[in-house]
Amino acid sequence: MTYQQSLDYIHSLLRFGMKPGLERIARLCQRLGDPQKKLSFVHVAGTNGKGSTCSMLASILRKAGYKTGLYTSPFVTDFCERMQIGGVPISHGDLSRWTEKLRPMIEKISSEEEAVTEFEAITALAFAWFEEQNCDIVVLETGLGGRFDATNVIDCPLCSVITSIGLDHTQILGDTLDKIAFEKCGILKPDGRTVCYPAQSEEALSVIKGCAEEEHNVLRIGTMEDLTVHSMTWEGSELTYRGFDFHLPLLGVHQHANAVTVLETVESLREAGLCISDQAVREGIRDVVWPARLEILAWHPLTLLDGAHNPQAMGMLAGTLRALEPGSKFHVVLGMLADKDYPDAVALIAPLCASMACVTPDNPRALPSDRLAREAERHGVPAHSFDRDYQGAIDFATQKAGQEGMVLLCGSLYLAGSLRPLVLENIKNE
């Protein structure tokens, strides 16, 4: 199987199962020898901030000397980014080799019972690869939800982490914060340890506390009152949390809360017996790299790339931009998926827009750019529709901004994966 054949096969599988449940992933893992039972995990669920939290934790654990796996979704530029060891993605050859091994197992289960989904196949493949490579610990991000998420086939992890809860995937997870929080808390296992994002809504927090108590989990929740922000610039933030000084390169006020979540998780892992020095924590956070999360791609004009894809994330993005550049306007390239709450997302970013170039993400669930442009115009933003002409949209925004202006590319991680290489190629050719 070539790499492209492997990707084609993986993408040919169902996106979602006909009915929720862990039976299919459990059977697939069983045929592989249950690799997930031979691994240790930090399991992370939530609406926003999962990826950043996972990336910081994996960076810290690497600095502490552990052979660390990282499983996240979606990817930005290469599918293999979804599973990494020591910061290095699985090779195309290894992905192809494991896909070829899994294919007859997937097809047998699908023919005898219900079809195995794409995410279930990828998750099982990742477990098998991590176990083959003798990972000491895997930082495992859920895909969607928690209770019936394929990653939840694991036994009790070293620590469960619940990041920021917001309204997203409401057709699947429920239309209220308490319903969504309940689904996310499905990753909690009896007698485990749980860490909760420190700026959680009261509605979600109440559910998290209840679930932790019901499962007899030791629950840690940091407090933002214990965090001191010394400075916040485009280079990052200088912070102190309960006497611990550190530099956070990830931009955004919300990343401060994610960092508190990470520091509390480190304490939980220390209680579980892991040896993690303060130096490893400091260096791990300092050296973390997480593309497409308020990533600076260029300085003239200042060009930012962010995967904000729902109203909660867009609100956090807008708040950060106001804090870093008070009163400034951005020339925005925006594309969103139709199943997101795009009217609210546009309403949140519109006050910061000098102009908007609307594009259609390369995804079956994409919102057509002309509909997005009409929504922006409702808020008084001069908007132009570029459909899938991404280079044209980037050129439009860059020309509008000039050398001293600012460009913001956002709306979807799927879109970020299309735009990022184009901007970087433009810079290389200048």
Side-chain angles (χ1 to χ4, degrees), residues 351-374:
L352 298 175
C353 296
S355 70
M356 188 179 290
C358 299
V359 293
T360 306
D362 186 15
N363 186 282
R365 297 178 290 135
L367 177 71
S369 62
D370 56 342
R371 283 173 58 189
L372 189 59
R374 288 197 296 272

Side-chain angles (χ1 to χ4, degrees), residues 296-326:
I296 298 174
L297 299 181
W299 287 100
H300 297 288
L302 178 66
T303 304
L304 306 168
L305 178 67
D306 192 82
H309 61 285
N310 56 39
Q312 187 187 26
M314 200 68 83
M316 291 176 177
L317 171 61
T320 295
L321 296 178
R322 286 192 182 96
L324 289 168
E325 291 288 340

Side-chain angles (χ1 to χ4, degrees), residues 36-45 57 127 136-142 146 151-162 184-195 215-218 265 268-269 271-274:
Q36 79 283 4
K37 293 184 179 294
K38 303 163 192 171
L39 294 164
S40 296
F41 295 96
V42 177
H43 202 186
V44 182
L57 285 169
F127 288 153
D136 297 318
I137 188 167
V138 175
V139 180
L140 182 68
E141 178 189 346
T142 59
T151 60
N152 206 29
V153 73
I154 68 170
D155 294 331
C156 187
L158 294 172
C159 184
S160 301
V161 182
I162 306 295
K184 305 292 185 183
C185 285
I187 68 167
L188 274 59
K189 304 293 195 300
D191 303 314
R193 293 178 174 83
T194 297
V195 173
E215 295 294 347
H216 305 290
N217 272 221
V218 177
T265 303
S268 184
L269 292 174
E271 291 172 358
L274 271 64

Side-chain angles (χ1 to χ4, degrees), residues 257-398:
N258 289 336
V260 168
T261 306
V262 166
L263 293 175
E264 291 293 343
T265 303
V266 167
E267 290 304 315
S268 184
L269 292 174
R270 285 169 171 166
E271 291 172 358
L274 271 64
C275 184
I276 307 171
S277 69
D278 282 354
Q279 182 180 352
V281 177
R282 193 171 280 114
E283 291 179 358
I285 296 177
R286 180 199 67 196
D287 294 342
V288 68
V289 176
W290 197 230
R293 279 74 174 182
L294 253 182
E295 180 184 12
I296 298 174
L297 299 181
W299 287 100
H300 297 288
L302 178 66
T303 304
L304 306 168
L305 178 67
D306 192 82
H309 61 285
N310 56 39
Q312 187 187 26
M314 200 68 83
M316 291 176 177
L317 171 61
T320 295
L321 296 178
R322 286 192 182 96
L324 289 168
E325 291 288 340
S328 295
K329 297 272 188 175
F330 293 77
H331 296 279
V332 176
V333 177
L334 183 67
M336 295 195 69
L337 302 185
D339 58 0
K340 302 299 179 183
D341 185 358
Y342 68 89
D344 278 1
V346 170
L348 287 163
I349 202 66
L352 298 175
C353 296
S355 70
M356 188 179 290
C358 299
V359 293
T360 306
D362 186 15
N363 186 282
R365 297 178 290 135
L367 177 71
S369 62
D370 56 342
R371 283 173 58 189
L372 189 59
R374 288 197 296 272
E375 189 64 35
E377 287 168 348
R378 286 184 57 244
H379 295 276
V381 178
H384 303 264
S385 175
F386 285 84
D387 195 25
R388 286 186 166 84
D389 181 10
Y390 302 143
Q391 188 62 63
I394 292 167
D395 290 345
F396 174 84
T398 302

Side-chain angles (χ1 to χ4, degrees), residues 72-278:
T72 61
S73 60
F75 63 93
V76 178
T77 55
D78 188 291
F79 182 87
C80 289
E81 295 168 20
R82 296 185 65 164
M83 55 197 85
Q84 308 177 18
I85 298 175
V88 179
I90 186 173
S91 69
H92 288 188
D94 277 350
L95 185 86
S96 301
R97 176 171 58 86
W98 274 109
T99 304
E100 197 162 1
K101 281 186 181 181
L102 258 72
R103 184 170 184 167
M105 303 177 195
I106 291 169
E107 293 181 351
K108 185 166 181 60
I109 293 170
S110 298
S111 66
E112 292 176 351
E113 303 161 40
E114 195 179 346
V116 172
T117 69
E118 178 180 355
F119 188 71
E120 288 165 347
I122 298 164
T123 302
L125 189 156
F127 288 153
W129 181 61
F130 289 140
E131 192 266 328
E132 176 191 57
Q133 298 299 316
N134 298 309
C135 282
D136 297 318
I137 188 167
V138 175
V139 180
L140 182 68
E141 178 189 346
T142 59
L144 192 158
R147 188 161 57 110
F148 295 125
D149 189 82
T151 60
N152 206 29
V153 73
I154 68 170
D155 294 331
C156 187
L158 294 172
C159 184
S160 301
V161 182
I162 306 295
T163 66
S164 177
I165 302 292
L167 294 173
D168 201 2
H169 300 292
T170 53
Q171 291 179 325
I172 299 171
L173 302 179
D175 57 2
T176 63
L177 290 176
D178 60 336
K179 288 178 183 176
I180 293 173
F182 175 76
E183 293 297 328
K184 305 292 185 183
C185 285
I187 68 167
L188 274 59
K189 304 293 195 300
D191 303 314
R193 293 178 174 83
T194 297
V195 173
C196 177
Y197 179 79
Q200 209 69 261
S201 70
E202 284 301 322
E203 192 177 354
L205 185 59
S206 175
V207 174
I208 295 165
K209 286 180 175 177
C211 290
E213 183 177 357
E214 186 175 334
E215 295 294 347
H216 305 290
N217 272 221
V218 177
L219 178 62
R220 297 186 70 99
I221 308 173
T223 59
M224 296 307 290
E225 290 77 12
D226 289 337
L227 182 77
T228 301
V229 181
H230 300 290
S231 65
M232 186 171 71
T233 69
W234 289 114
E235 281 73 39
S237 300
E238 300 299 328
L239 306 168
T240 300
Y241 184 66
R242 295 179 178 170
F244 180 76
D245 301 323
F246 63 102
H247 172 77
L248 176 64
L250 301 181
L251 300 175
V253 177
H254 58 289
Q255 295 292 7
H256 298 172
N258 289 336
V260 168
T261 306
V262 166
L263 293 175
E264 291 293 343
T265 303
V266 167
E267 290 304 315
S268 184
L269 292 174
R270 285 169 171 166
E271 291 172 358
L274 271 64
C275 184
I276 307 171
S277 69
D278 282 354

